[in-house]
């Protein structure tokens, strides 16, 4: 995909009432993009072009939304003032969980340009804000105004700010200014089927993301954003019930705390906290029985904000909890959550596949289910996602292997209409992931390939039997019919990009790769 960013840089006047002179904005991206196709993972989607907005920071970075430049094969930036020359940009770092990205542009681009400044304060409710960008409907810069409507957190606990200023396609990545002329956030998304509900990423989250980027003298990125910090405990239970509080043996008069319903096996709190612990404080801040903490004055916010404001992989939090009728204090090193069903293309999900006798196997992921939701089998793909929703990864490399569809051929006669089935066993064995399935099939010496599947709605299963020699002989013909280059592209442990099976190292049972769990998106170079 190609992207054009119109960039915003400085000479935004310090008072919103004064006329706006666009001297720090850029139309960051004319982006050309080739997105992954999770429904047919051996090929890309058709090349697409789009535009977005971005702005300058620290006289060295162009910042925008991750979704503006993700999977881009070409990114061009164009300043909003002066000669409208487009410059090639290089994506330095992408933070898909927080939807932020940083770009670099040639030195010639920076001449006579100043960066915008970030506000260190969270805007207050009803504060005036100005949203600047290049939305659809015209070629020139657009300015809309509104107020801060709400401050809360998203599903991952990251702070977000709701505003009522209009945000439309093309505004993504543009700065949102406060009355003082400082950047209080970045335009990011809207709530569909609602009126004037837009969300911006606070400047504090942007500042945290940029602080994660470390570069060498030659400009190469040495480390960057790992993901959103988490305690690895999932959703908690509020303790507004007096009977429940007595059951947990909380002291009389204690009105704080939330109950832990589970602790993720590979999460930050594994071996430290446990089910039925009561979380009382984080870094000395009391957690109310409704799971909120003070933000300022009379405002409250979900306690997840106390965790996500720290940097995953670098920082720790001090936690006070209640266990066995006594308080305890522990220190937890933070890292991102890891899910059994990957959620984000390019972060924890990738377009893997294995074709066996025309049966197309893939690992279950949210990007795959989103694509499948548009076809006639949408109800079964949605049922699969709902079944595994919120289930954390319990072992490195584990995947839910799904029969996505069948490429019709005489060798698989009788199974052409099968799709969206969970693989439970192959040759009587349960397998850990797609790579193990491909490897087991390649080593199978039985006359028949026997697959057992579960139906998505829990109404029994399917038995699929292929003749091994027929399936092997049909492979080349099936690949040629559908212009498929390789019968298998997999990852052994959920890291990196898919590769042919013979290039994927086999991880012995019980062994974990040294970098497993320390996933870094690394630099994305276009």
């Amino acid at each position: 995909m190609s992207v054009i960013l119109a960039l915003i840089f400085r000479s935004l006047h310090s008072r919103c009432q004064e006329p706006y002179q666009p001297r720090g904005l850029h139309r960051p991206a004319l982006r050309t993009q080739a997105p992954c196709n999770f429904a047919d993972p051996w090929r890309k989607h058709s090349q697409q072009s789009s535009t977005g907005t971005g702005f300058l920071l620290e006289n060295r970075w162009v910042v925008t939304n991750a979704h503006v430049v993700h999977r881009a094969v070409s990114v061009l930036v164009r300043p909003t003032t002066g000669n409208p020359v487009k410059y090639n940009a290089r994506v330095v770092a992408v933070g898909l969980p927080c939807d932020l990205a940083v770009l670099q542009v040639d030195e010639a681009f920076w001449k006579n340009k100043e960066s915008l400044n970030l506000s260190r304060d969270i805007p207050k409710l009803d504060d005036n804000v100005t949203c600047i960008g290049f939305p659809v409907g015209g070629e020139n810069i657009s300015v809309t105004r509104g107020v801060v409507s709400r401050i809360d957190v998203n599903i991952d606990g990251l702070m977000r700010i709701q505003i009522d200023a209009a945000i439309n396609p093309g505004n993504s990545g543009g700065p949102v200014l406060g009355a003082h002329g400082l950047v209080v956030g970045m335009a990011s998304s809207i709530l569909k089927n609602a009126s004037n509900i837009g969300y911006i990423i606070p400047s504090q989250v942007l500042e945290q993301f940029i602080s994660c980027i470390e570069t060498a003298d030659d400009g190469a990125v040495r480390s960057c954003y790992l993901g959103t910090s988490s305690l690895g405990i999932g959703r908690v239970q509020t303790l507004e019930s007096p009977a429940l509080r007595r059951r947990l043996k909380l002291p009389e008069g204690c009105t704080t705390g939330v109950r832990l319903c589970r602790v993720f096996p590979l999460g930050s709190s594994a071996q430290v906290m446990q089910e039925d612990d009561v979380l009382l404080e984080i870094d000395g801040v009391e957690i109310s029985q409704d799971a909120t903490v003070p933000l300022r004055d009379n405002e409250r916010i979900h306690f997840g904000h106390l965790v996500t404001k720290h940097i995953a992989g670098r920082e720790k939090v001090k936690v006070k909890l209640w266990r066995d009728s006594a308080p305890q204090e522990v220190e937890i090193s933070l890292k991102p959550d890891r899910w059994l069903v990957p959620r984000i293309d390019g972060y924890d999900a990738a377009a893997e596949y294995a074709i066996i006798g025309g049966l197309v196997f893939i690992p279950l992921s949210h990007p795959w289910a989103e694509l499948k939701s548009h076809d006639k089998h949408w109800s079964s793909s949605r049922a699969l996602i709902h079944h595994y929703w919120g289930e954390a990864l319990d072992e490195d490399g584990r995947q839910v292997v799904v029969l996505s569809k069948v490429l019709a051929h005489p060798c698989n006669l009788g199974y052409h209409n099968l799709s969206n089935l969970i693989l439970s066993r192959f040759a009587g064995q349960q397998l850990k992931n797609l790579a193990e399935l491909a490897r087991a099939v390649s080593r199978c010496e039985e006359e028949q390939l026997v697959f057992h599947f579960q139906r998505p709605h829990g109404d029994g299963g399917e038995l699929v039997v292929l003749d091994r020699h027929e399936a092997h002989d049909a492979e080349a013909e099936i690949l040629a019919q559908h212009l498929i280059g390789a019968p298998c592209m997999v990852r052994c442990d959920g890291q990196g990009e898919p590769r042919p099976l013979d290039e994927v190292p086999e991880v012995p049972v019980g062994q974990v790769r040294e970098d497993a769990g320390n996933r870094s998106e690394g630099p994305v170079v276009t």
Side-chain angles (χ1 to χ4, degrees), residues 149-303:
S149 307
R150 178 186 295 156
I151 299 175
D152 62 3
V153 297
N154 65 11
I155 190 172
D156 293 320
L158 270 177
M159 179 186 286
R160 64 180 180 182
I161 298 174
Q162 178 186 323
I163 64 174
D164 66 355
I167 297 178
N168 293 296
N171 269 123
S172 293
V176 178
L177 308 180
H180 40 47
L182 301 178
V183 177
V184 297
M186 176 190 291
S188 177
S189 61
I190 61 172
L191 183 64
K192 292 182 179 180
N193 302 319
S195 178
N196 292 338
I197 296 182
Y199 295 104
I200 66 174
I201 300 168
S203 57
Q204 291 75 17
V205 176
L206 175 56
E207 193 168 26
Q208 180 194 75
F209 174 71
I210 291 176
S211 71
C212 294
I213 303 173
E214 295 181 1
T215 56
D217 293 337
D218 60 358
V221 176
R222 294 186 298 188
S223 67
C224 55
Y225 183 76
L226 295 180
T228 305
S229 294
S230 172
L231 290 177
I233 57 176
R235 297 183 65 180
V236 297
Q237 182 179 5
T238 60
L239 296 181
E240 297 170 302
S241 165
L244 179 56
R245 301 180 70 81
R246 289 193 297 270
R247 175 70 179 178
L248 296 172
K249 301 179 181 179
L250 286 166
E252 194 70 31
C254 176
T255 59
T256 62
V258 290
R259 173 183 170 267
L260 303 190
C261 303
R262 59 177 172 166
V263 177
F264 297 159
L266 301 181
S268 305
S269 301
Q271 313 303 322
V272 179
M273 296 197 286
Q274 61 190 38
E275 185 178 340
D276 284 337
D277 281 351
V278 177
L279 190 59
L280 299 175
E281 297 179 4
I282 296 178
D283 288 335
V285 181
E286 284 191 349
I287 301 173
S288 174
Q289 60 186 8
D290 66 349
T292 63
V293 294
L295 179 62
R296 60 189 170 195
D297 299 332
N298 294 321
E299 296 178 66
R300 301 188 69 84
I301 195 169
H302 190 271
F303 78 89

Side-chain angles (χ1 to χ4, degrees), residues 355 357-358 407 409 411-412 474-484:
I355 301 174
L407 304 178
H409 188 273
C411 74
N412 53 46
E475 180 180 284
E477 183 179 357
I478 293 172
L479 298 183
Q481 286 175 342
H482 297 273
L483 302 178
I484 302 172

